[in-house]
Amino acid sequence: MNVLVVLAVILFILMTLIGGKKGAKSFLAIFFNFAVLLLIILLMNDPNLDPIILTFIACILISCITLFFINEVNSKTTIAFLSTLITIVILLFFIVVVNKMAMIQGFGEEEIEELSSYSLYIGIDFVKIGASVIIMSTIGAIVDVAISIASPMREIYLHNPSISRKALFKAGISIGKDILGTSANTLFFAFFGSYLGLLIWFKDLSYSLGEIVNSKIFNAEMITILWAGIGVAMNIPITAWITAAFLVKKKEEKTG
């Protein structure tokens, strides 16, 4: 039996045993999200379709699957979904601008030899493709942070309905501070582990530290890590503010 199938079965069994029905849904969500990514990648081959718009649509679908399919539609998932979309819109705008200035789009000189036999005139804007790659790399972490803040804030409100909007917002920021450090480190080591082969390649090419730092490939990966951290950090106050405003407004409408 294929190793992938065996590992998938083991993962499904563990997720179902530990998470029950929600664990089984989480397992299925992995394949649904993969299908979304695959579809978007295929659509990006069409030069008439804007990669940024396709990326935003993919983020909406992935957020819906991750939040609503697994945790159903409720106040905390709705808030997490809204804050995720706001964060993605802000990130997309700044990523396109900064990436164009940094000129990290396209391929580095280390990749030219392997690509020399292919035509690079494929009619696709690599600045937008680069922005899409960064967003796709961070969407999971942003959704995770959003639900990780909205859920405990909702519990705080349910146990203390008289809490003010300001106090609830501060509680959300306090929760976010605890999440920020671990999320940033998780992103860093995830990217670092994925591109460990790149660093070994640099060593085999006898690159100096200066050449590594100025390498286009290295800069592209580091910028991706930094944007991921910025997205996570930015998502914390956005989620905390929306959650506090929504829950307190809901209470005021009931009492009013």
Side-chain angles (χ1 to χ4, degrees):
M1 188 181 291
N2 193 298
V3 176
L4 292 176
V5 177
V6 173
L7 292 176
V9 170
I10 293 173
L11 177 61
F12 175 73
I13 293 172
L14 289 175
M15 291 180 73
T16 304
L17 288 175
I18 297 173
K21 183 179 179 181
K22 188 173 287 188
K25 283 186 174 182
S26 299
F27 180 81
L28 292 174
I30 296 173
F31 293 94
F32 293 154
N33 286 332
F34 175 76
V36 171
L37 289 175
L38 184 61
L39 176 62
I40 294 300
I41 290 171
L42 292 175
L43 290 175
M44 282 185 181
N45 288 324
D46 188 343
N48 296 317
L49 298 177
D50 193 320
I52 298 298
I53 296 176
L54 291 175
T55 301
F56 186 67
I57 294 172
C59 290
I60 293 174
L61 295 175
I62 291 171
S63 299
C64 287
I65 293 170
T66 306
L67 294 170
F68 300 135
F69 176 71
I70 298 175
N71 299 296
E72 300 179 349
V73 180
N74 51 55
S75 59
K76 61 183 179 183
T77 54
T78 303
I79 291 168
F81 177 74
L82 181 59
S83 62
T84 297
L85 292 190
I86 293 173
T87 304
I88 292 299
V89 170
I90 297 172
L91 276 180
L92 276 173
F93 175 76
F94 286 105
I95 285 174
V96 172
V97 175
V98 173
N99 282 13
K100 191 170 184 178
M101 293 172 61
M103 294 187 293
I104 61 170
Q105 68 273 8
F107 304 98
E109 59 181 12
E110 296 84 1
E111 302 166 298
I112 296 300
E113 184 176 347
E114 288 79 6
L115 296 169
S116 58
S117 60
Y118 300 97
S119 173
L120 299 180
Y121 297 99
I122 56 178
I124 298 176
D125 189 338
F126 273 92
V127 174
K128 294 182 178 180
I129 292 294
S132 299
V133 170
I134 294 173
I135 291 297
M136 292 295 187
S137 303
T138 60
I139 180 63
I142 291 173
V143 172
D144 181 58
V145 168
I147 194 66
S148 296
I149 294 175
S151 183
M153 284 183 69
R154 181 171 175 267
E155 292 299 317
I156 292 172
Y157 170 76
L158 291 176
H159 288 84
N160 186 14
S162 61
I163 190 171
S164 66
R165 182 181 301 182
K166 185 177 180 180
L168 187 58
F169 174 75
K170 286 184 177 180
I173 294 297
S174 180
I175 295 167
K177 288 178 181 178
D178 295 331
I179 297 173
L180 181 59
T182 54
S183 296
N185 277 283
T186 300
L187 289 168
F188 174 76
F189 287 112
F191 283 111
F192 185 83
S194 300
Y195 291 95
L196 185 60
L198 176 63
L199 298 178
I200 296 174
W201 187 24
F202 283 149
K203 179 181 178 298
D204 291 340
L205 292 173
S206 301
Y207 272 30
S208 65
L209 180 60
E211 288 174 321
I212 292 175
V213 171
N214 287 285
S215 169
K216 188 174 187 176
I217 301 177
F218 180 80
N219 272 277
E221 302 312 323
M222 288 304 300
I223 288 175
T224 300
I225 295 172
L226 293 173
W227 273 123
I230 291 170
V232 169
M234 189 167 57
N235 188 246
I236 292 173
I238 292 175
T239 304
W241 185 85
I242 293 175
T243 306
F246 177 81
L247 294 177
V248 173
K249 183 180 179 180
K250 191 176 179 181
K251 177 187 69 175
E252 291 173 350
E253 288 177 352
K254 286 182 179 180
T255 55

